[in-house]
């Protein structure tokens, strides 16, 4: 995790941002609250507005989770991605849970992310920007507001920041107090990540140690071990030449989540005391989902007012006009690194839809980083009723993403995936093959199916090969 000294760019509270006490804030505060005048999709039906107001007031008094300098540094890294000089690896849980904010769980996810980054960096010979779907991914949009089981209808599970997964009236009732739990769980996770990435665990000399519990049983693990041996020899050569750079001992890792719950995101927005610019200090990178990307909606309006790098999920029904409107709204100054377009088309539609979008954005000339989410467009229900994804479909969408950009002469800038560091059985396929009849064995996701560690490494090797042959 990057470390920018708080004294360098501390973020002050902006007076009156929430308007909870009726006081009027300065112009910056009014601008940040402009999203309240727009339609806000996918927001919980909080039963007690007074309780929500009290919780967000508490959140506004809590310290920022990230700092402006870190966000600006990530913007610079993403500018390199947009220029074709780097590759983005973004991944982690579909939906984090409060119970999963443990040292073991965070270490397992970080370990998988580090292994994937090593495969991509060494195999594709390209700098890799690493962003975790962690320390804040506690809310999820849903296609239906309610869920029915055995004739009983209750609110849908919207993530631990809103309600509980258990199917009971008490658990499923949205509770604003969970926003405070989301903040504290995010703080714990960020603290662990900072410790792991700066305290020696992320040292590149540890490439074998990350694989000790994994190599014997997994084809992907054995392939990784061979690559780790090559890295070891390269490091030994460097040491023999008197080179042992500090960059090999720490890792830049950034946090991200979908900016879905606008009351929470707004409450954690601060003004940079040096520049007066606003930053959402809940994460370094925020993205707007496919269901909330309407240019006249509250989510785009909120994102427009903050200085974090922003991503937008783009589904198969998006048009060129949609993307040009989004780029105009979210990056009017055409700042490189500000905007990332994350496509989630599905393996069956990407080759038909993506070329026209890429062409339109390229002709417009705005600097955009293109990233592929090969997960969300490839979900289906197995005969057992488990929601799952075929690993071959995930790879097919990735291959199509690279092919489209190769044909257009544009840069395939990265991947955005859902994975876990555990050996779950949620997606079918992979070199250590999981079949539909295996899904019940370790189906542990709180929402969508994730790649397990072996599948995530399989994917990293495939992406490295595709990138190398660009």
């Amino acid at each position: 995790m990057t470390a920018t000294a708080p004294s360098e760019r501390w973020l002050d509270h902006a007076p009156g941002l929430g308007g909870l006490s009726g006081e009027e804030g300065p112009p910056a505060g009014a601008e940040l609250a402009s999203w309240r005048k727009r339609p806000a999709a996918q927001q919980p039906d909080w039963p007690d507005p007074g309780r929500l107001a009290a919780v967000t007031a508490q959140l506004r008094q809590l310290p920022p989770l990230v700092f402006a300098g870190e966000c600006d540094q990530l913007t610079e890294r993403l500018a390199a991605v947009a220029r074709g000089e780097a590759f983005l690896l973004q991944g982690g849980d579909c939906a984090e849970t409060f119970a999963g904010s443990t040292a073991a769980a965070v270490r397992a996810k970080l370990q998988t992310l580090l292994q994937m980054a090593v495969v991509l960096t060494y195999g594709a010979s390209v700098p890799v920007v690493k962003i975790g779907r962690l320390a804040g991914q506690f809310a999820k949009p849903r296609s239906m507001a309610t869920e029915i089981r055995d004739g009983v209808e209750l609110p849908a599970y919207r993530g631990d920041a809103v309600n509980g997964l258990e199917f009971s009236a008490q658990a499923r009732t949205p509770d604003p107090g969970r926003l405070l739990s989301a903040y504290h769980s995010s703080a714990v996770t960020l603290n662990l990540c900072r410790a792991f990435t700066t305290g020696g665990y992320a040292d590149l000399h540890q490439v074998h140690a990350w694989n000790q519990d994994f190599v014997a049983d997994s084809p992907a693990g054995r392939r990784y071990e061979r690559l780790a041996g090559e890295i070891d020899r390269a490091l030994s050569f460097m040491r023999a030449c008197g080179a042992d750079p500090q960059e090999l001992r720490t890792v830049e890792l950034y946090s991200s989540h979908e900016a879905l719950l606008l009351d929470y995101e707004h409450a954690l927005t601060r003004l940079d005391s040096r520049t007066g610019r606003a930053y959402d200090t809940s994460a370094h990178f925020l993205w707007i989902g496919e269901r909330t990307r309407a240019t006249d909606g509250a989510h785009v309006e909120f994102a427009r007012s903050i200085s974090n790098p922003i991503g937008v999920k783009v589904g198969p029904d998006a048009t060129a006009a949609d993307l040009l409107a989004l780029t105009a709204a979210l990056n009017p100054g055409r700042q490189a690194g500000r905007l990332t377009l994350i496509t989630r088309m599905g393996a069956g539609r990407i080759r038909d839809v993506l070329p026209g979008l890429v062409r339109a954005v390229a002709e417009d000339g705005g600097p955009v980083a293109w990233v592929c989410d090969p997960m969300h467009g490839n979900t289906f229900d197995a005969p057992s009723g488990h929601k799952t994804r075929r690993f071959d479909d995930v790879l097919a969408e990735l291959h199509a993403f690279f092919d489209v950009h190769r044909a257009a002469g544009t840069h395939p800038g990265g991947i955005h995936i859902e994975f876990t560091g555990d050996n779950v059985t949620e997606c079918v396929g992979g070199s250590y093959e999981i079949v539909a009849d295996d899904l019940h064995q370790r189906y542990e996701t709180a929402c969508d199916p994730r790649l397990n560690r072996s599948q995530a490494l399989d994917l990293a090797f495939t992406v490295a090969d595709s990138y190398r042959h660009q």
Side-chain angles (χ1 to χ4, degrees):
M1 186 67 66
T2 60
T4 299
S7 59
E8 292 179 12
R9 302 193 69 174
W10 184 259
L11 299 173
D12 293 326
H13 297 283
L17 289 187
L20 296 176
S21 61
E23 62 182 341
E24 292 185 3
E31 181 182 354
L32 289 170
S34 63
W35 65 268
R36 295 189 184 278
K37 301 175 183 178
R38 304 288 184 91
Q42 295 287 332
Q43 301 305 287
D45 184 13
W46 302 109
D48 184 351
R51 172 66 172 150
L52 175 64
V55 166
T56 53
Q58 284 182 264
L59 286 168
R60 285 200 303 279
Q61 300 304 313
L62 292 171
L65 293 173
V66 302
F67 298 103
E70 296 173 338
C71 298
D72 290 343
Q73 182 171 280
L74 177 56
T75 298
E76 294 174 5
R77 302 295 186 261
L78 292 173
V81 173
R83 292 191 300 266
E85 300 167 359
F87 192 82
L88 171 63
L89 170 62
Q90 184 176 4
D93 259 324
C94 163
E96 291 179 282
T97 63
F98 299 154
S101 298
T102 65
V106 172
R107 183 178 63 243
K109 281 183 282 191
L110 178 60
Q111 182 172 270
T112 304
L113 191 71
L114 291 173
Q115 287 185 288
M116 293 183 70
V118 163
V119 169
L120 289 167
T121 304
Y122 195 79
S125 299
V126 62
V128 174
V129 181
K130 293 166 278 294
I131 304 180
R133 281 179 61 113
L134 48 74
Q137 185 58 12
F138 292 108
K140 294 291 293 182
R142 303 314 301 260
S143 56
M144 301 292 291
T146 61
E147 180 182 355
I148 299 175
R149 296 186 193 177
D150 299 325
V152 178
E153 184 174 11
L154 293 175
Y157 173 65
R158 290 185 174 272
D160 274 15
V162 177
N163 54 6
L165 183 60
E166 178 189 348
F167 194 76
S168 69
Q170 181 178 2
R172 290 296 178 91
T173 300
D175 176 9
R178 286 175 168 269
L179 298 177
L180 288 169
S181 298
Y183 171 90
H184 291 297
S185 290
S186 298
V188 167
T189 300
L190 280 170
N191 183 58
L192 284 167
C193 287
R194 291 181 191 275
F196 282 133
T197 55
T198 62
Y201 184 77
D203 190 328
L204 195 56
H205 298 83
Q206 299 292 315
V207 285
H208 288 289
W210 303 336
N211 207 44
Q212 283 177 352
D213 62 337
F214 184 56
V215 62
D217 297 329
S218 165
R222 290 192 290 272
R223 188 177 180 186
Y224 173 87
E225 192 65 16
R226 290 193 295 272
L227 181 143
E230 295 178 25
I231 293 173
D232 258 355
R233 287 189 290 275
L235 293 175
S236 296
F237 175 77
M238 291 175 64
R239 285 194 299 269
C241 294
D244 191 16
Q246 181 61 31
E247 288 80 3
L248 300 180
R249 301 190 178 279
T250 61
V251 165
E252 281 186 14
L253 176 67
Y254 301 93
S255 64
S256 72
H257 62 259
E258 181 176 355
L260 184 65
L261 303 179
L262 292 175
D263 289 298
Y264 177 82
E265 305 300 338
H266 183 87
L268 287 172
T269 299
R270 308 285 187 266
L271 296 182
D272 181 351
S273 58
R274 298 197 321 168
T275 67
R277 292 190 296 162
Y279 291 79
D280 182 346
T281 67
S282 68
H284 300 105
F285 180 90
L286 288 307
W287 76 84
I288 301 168
E290 164 72 3
R291 294 183 177 96
T292 55
R293 61 171 173 79
T295 52
D296 62 349
H299 291 82
V300 170
E301 179 64 16
F302 172 77
R304 186 188 63 78
S305 68
I306 59 175
S307 296
N308 306 60
I310 298 295
V312 180
K313 290 289 189 77
V314 179
D317 296 326
T319 65
D322 291 337
L323 295 200
L324 295 181
L326 285 166
T327 57
L330 294 171
N331 194 21
R334 300 199 167 209
Q335 178 189 10
R338 159 68 173 174
L339 182 60
T340 299
L341 296 179
I342 307 166
T343 63
R344 40 155 294 175
M345 304 288 181
R349 298 190 65 183
I350 183 171
R351 292 183 186 274
D352 296 326
V353 177
L354 186 57
L357 300 180
V358 170
R359 182 168 55 252
V361 172
E363 290 173 352
D364 181 61
V368 165
W370 286 98
V371 170
C372 180
D373 169 1
M375 307 290 291
H376 284 89
N378 295 304
T379 306
F380 68 97
D381 290 331
S384 61
H386 293 94
K387 187 189 299 184
T388 189
R389 291 156 176 159
R390 292 186 186 89
F391 186 66
D392 285 349
D393 291 341
V394 171
L395 294 187
E397 183 161 355
L398 281 170
H399 284 306
F401 176 76
F402 278 92
D403 288 346
V404 167
H405 284 283
R406 184 182 295 114
T410 50
H411 178 58
I415 56 174
H416 179 125
I417 62 170
E418 293 177 342
F419 72 80
T420 175
D422 300 322
N423 293 320
V424 298
T425 54
E426 296 172 4
C427 294
V428 295
S431 61
Y432 192 81
E433 187 172 9
I434 294 171
V435 298
D437 289 343
D438 297 327
L439 292 174
H440 71 281
Q441 295 180 8
R442 287 196 62 180
Y443 195 92
E444 300 173 4
T445 181
C447 194
D448 291 335
R450 305 159 296 175
L451 301 178
N452 62 28
R453 187 170 164 195
S454 178
Q455 292 165 329
L457 270 184
D458 284 339
L459 182 142
F461 279 111
T462 298
V463 170
D465 290 340
S466 296
Y467 192 93
R468 190 166 56 244
H469 293 104
Q470 275 292 111

